[in-house]
Amino acid sequence: MSFLGSLASSLFFSYLCYASTFLTKDGIKFAIGLSTFSLILLVFIIEFLLRVLERFETDSLSSIDAVHLESDGTQLKAAAFYNSYEYISKLDSAKADENLSGKFWSELSAYRRRGMFSRDRQGAIIGNADVSGEFINVVEGLRVTPSQPSDFAGKLHIFGGSTIFAYEVSDGHTPSALLQKKFNESQIGFKVINHGVGGSTIGDCLRRLKLVNISANDVVLVLFGDNDIGINAPRK
């Protein structure tokens, strides 16, 4: 659509400039009109070639990504987030994951369609949308971490993006859940809290951190860098 819009606008202004050369076929006005028409035509040609090149590069990258997905299970599931279970279930990396089921994927897809984020009036993401399910649960914007102790010496607050929220796994397999399990087994009296929000940069994490009541014995971990540098930056 953007290409068609550029094409229409370029042709329209080219027509006006070209028409003006016939209305003023004398001296400097004719030269200015013809020069303007030539310049606009040149810009249009350059833009057309750039768009063709961009489309070619995108197609090439898609082929590269497809090969990469077949060889990397973690990246596969992250990229397959917007695909159907029928698609990912046919890939070897997905078949090797005993926790990946159609029932889980249906719940994840429903959460995505319903809207995973809470937003302000301007549409900016302010946190996670609450959800209650068999595999994915969010309460007051926080991904549920199972087996949290009722009696604890401090809290471990983990901030980050989708890697911390861990959309592609159930509550019991998130980084915060695995840490909580280790703490419980080692009798380390800490309660792990998952503050992960998909797409968060270090700035987003720090803004959310200011809203959290941190006690003297609490520990804060922040995973950052993946969204700050942009996973898709090389494509741009």
Side-chain angles (χ1 to χ4, degrees):
M1 292 301 293
S2 60
F3 173 74
L4 292 177
S6 299
L7 174 61
S9 60
S10 298
L11 291 176
F12 175 73
F13 285 107
S14 298
Y15 171 77
L16 289 181
C17 293
Y18 189 64
S20 67
T21 62
F22 287 97
L23 296 177
T24 58
K25 284 188 175 180
D26 60 325
I28 189 67
K29 291 183 179 181
F30 175 78
I32 293 176
L34 187 60
S35 299
T36 304
F37 168 72
S38 302
L39 178 61
I40 292 178
L41 185 60
L42 177 62
V43 170
F44 167 71
I45 293 174
I46 293 175
E47 181 179 5
F48 174 78
L49 294 175
L50 288 175
R51 289 184 182 275
V52 171
L53 180 61
E54 180 183 14
R55 177 62 61 85
F56 174 77
E57 290 178 346
T58 300
D59 293 340
S60 299
L61 283 170
S62 298
S63 302
I64 295 172
D65 290 347
V67 174
H68 179 65
L69 293 179
E70 289 289 352
S71 62
D72 190 307
T74 303
Q75 180 67 16
L76 161 71
K77 289 200 294 180
F81 182 74
Y82 292 96
N83 288 295
S84 66
Y85 180 71
E86 287 72 23
Y87 166 74
I88 64 166
S89 62
K90 298 176 181 177
L91 300 173
D92 292 339
S93 301
K95 293 177 182 178
D97 188 348
E98 60 183 13
N99 298 302
L100 187 62
S101 66
K103 192 174 181 180
F104 164 74
W105 207 259
S106 295
E107 186 174 314
L108 173 61
S109 299
Y111 184 41
R112 176 179 62 82
R113 289 192 300 268
R114 187 164 54 247
M116 302 178 297
F117 303 114
S118 295
R119 301 176 182 271
D120 59 19
R121 293 182 178 179
Q122 286 71 42
I125 295 174
I126 58 177
N128 300 303
D130 287 357
V131 65
S132 176
E134 181 180 351
F135 305 98
I136 304 172
N137 293 274
V138 178
V139 178
E140 294 183 353
L142 301 177
R143 180 79 187 264
V144 168
T145 300
S147 303
Q148 291 175 323
S150 57
D151 184 22
F152 48 88
K155 298 177 182 178
L156 174 61
H157 302 273
I158 309 181
F159 290 82
S162 56
T163 303
I164 297 301
F165 186 94
Y167 293 103
E168 292 80 20
V169 297
S170 59
D171 294 337
H173 293 86
T174 64
S176 60
L178 298 178
L179 275 174
Q180 187 66 75
K181 181 180 179 182
K182 289 293 184 181
F183 285 171
N184 295 346
E185 292 173 350
S186 303
Q187 297 183 340
I188 298 175
F190 266 81
K191 178 180 179 179
V192 183
I193 302 178
N194 188 331
H195 294 273
V197 178
S200 293
T201 62
I202 182 60
D204 297 325
C205 293
L206 294 178
R207 281 190 290 273
R208 294 189 181 100
L209 176 59
K210 293 178 181 180
L211 303 176
V212 178
N213 183 20
I214 304 295
S215 301
N217 293 329
D218 290 355
V219 176
V220 174
L221 293 179
V222 181
L223 174 67
F224 66 94
D226 47 355
N227 290 311
D228 293 82
I229 62 173
I231 295 175
N232 295 318
R235 300 182 184 183
K236 297 177 181 178

